[in-house]
Amino acid sequence: MSTNPNDFALVALLGLLGLRIFEACGASIADLGEEHGHRVLRVRGKGGKVVLVPLPPAVARAIDRAVDDRATGPILRNTLGGRMDRHAAIRRLKTWPKPEGSGCRGGIPTCCATRS
């Protein structure tokens, strides 16, 4: 398990919000906001469509740890401090341990545990 707050925020954005990798990596601090008393993330999806996604408390905490008092820039950063791209995100995800007994053979898209 990684102690890097960017890794945890990446997993939270993908797993709990259901974002695509390019949506999670493209999110900036400026995209965070509040609507009707709830924290939201403005996400630019496929085709340039923009939607507001409400943030569950666990995801909001993960984002807060990754942002760490910065006022601008990307939410997710790579090890050099720049914006995390999809290739770096996939490399980071591959370092996470696979669940015991899940039958995963590796690679996030090909994980057997996600198939029905």
Side-chain angles (χ1 to χ4, degrees), residues 49-116:
K49 188 168 90 173
V50 177
V51 296
L52 290 177
V53 179
L55 297 177
V59 177
R61 282 191 302 272
I63 289 174
D64 290 342
R65 287 187 192 116
V67 168
D68 190 36
D69 294 332
R70 290 181 288 128
T72 61
I75 292 174
L76 300 175
R77 295 186 296 174
N78 60 24
T79 54
L80 300 175
R83 182 179 296 276
M84 184 183 291
D85 64 6
R86 65 185 177 93
H87 302 292
I90 290 171
R91 280 193 304 273
R92 299 303 301 162
L93 289 171
K94 286 184 177 180
T95 65
W96 277 62
K98 306 293 183 273
E100 284 291 320
S102 68
C104 288
R105 293 185 298 266
I108 300 302
T110 60
C111 182
C112 298
T114 61
R115 296 185 182 155
S116 51

Side-chain angles (χ1 to χ4, degrees), residues 37-50:
H38 297 283
R39 291 188 64 190
V40 295
L41 175 65
R42 187 175 55 245
V43 177
R44 282 174 289 291
K46 291 172 86 174
K49 188 168 90 173
V50 177

